[in-house]
Amino acid sequence: MREEVKIKILQSLLDEVTKKYDYFIANRERIYKETYEMAVKDSLTGLYNRQYFEDFVVKLIKKGLRENRDFSIIFIDLDNFKPINDNYGHTKGDDVLKKVAELFKQTFRDYDIIARLGGDEFVVVIENLPNKDRIEEVRKVFEEAFKDFNLSFSYGVANLKEVEPESLNEEEILNLMLILADRRMYEEKMERKRRQK
């Protein structure tokens, strides 16, 4: 009889230890996931942040150079976003940025990397970009979704194979690609403004 009581007490203790261990493991995994999300995601939009984007592209550049593979960076800047903040306030502006992020997630491919650089600037990393028609399709959907705010975007594209990698490290190649995509975005923005006059 005493042996049965000891076994029951030990079983009860073992059950308690197992529950605490399971709770500890689940809690540790949750904290790890939350910490990782905070480290790589933009807190407002839930898109990847600039740091993640840069780390990802540096690795992609290494792979691209090693395997002779190309990829594109699309630099996106929202057109007519400032009046939303000026006329409706920053809370509404933040809501619009969240909706922009959702639309980008829905209209670009699941495996494209979308990041918010800050403010109303975004980048998309696309491997095997077939042509710019895909981006134009996204812009049409975008303009329809935000027509009440007269919101659109300008973009510029840079490809890895456009940059001469000799004597440059991966970070320098990334910077050159961003500069090139940003310049092309600005040129497109100016051209669009010129045509609207």
Side-chain angles (χ1 to χ4, degrees), residues 122-139:
F122 301 84
V123 285
V124 184
V125 181
I126 294 185
E127 293 186 71
N128 306 316
L129 176 65
N131 53 51
K132 290 185 181 176
D133 292 346
R134 178 73 191 108
I135 308 167
E136 292 297 333
E137 290 167 14
V138 171
R139 183 156 52 192

Side-chain angles (χ1 to χ4, degrees), residues 109-125:
R109 301 171 301 191
D110 289 344
Y111 50 88
D112 296 330
I113 299 296
I114 309 165
R116 179 177 176 227
L117 294 185
D120 62 351
E121 293 181 338
F122 301 84
V123 285
V124 184
V125 181

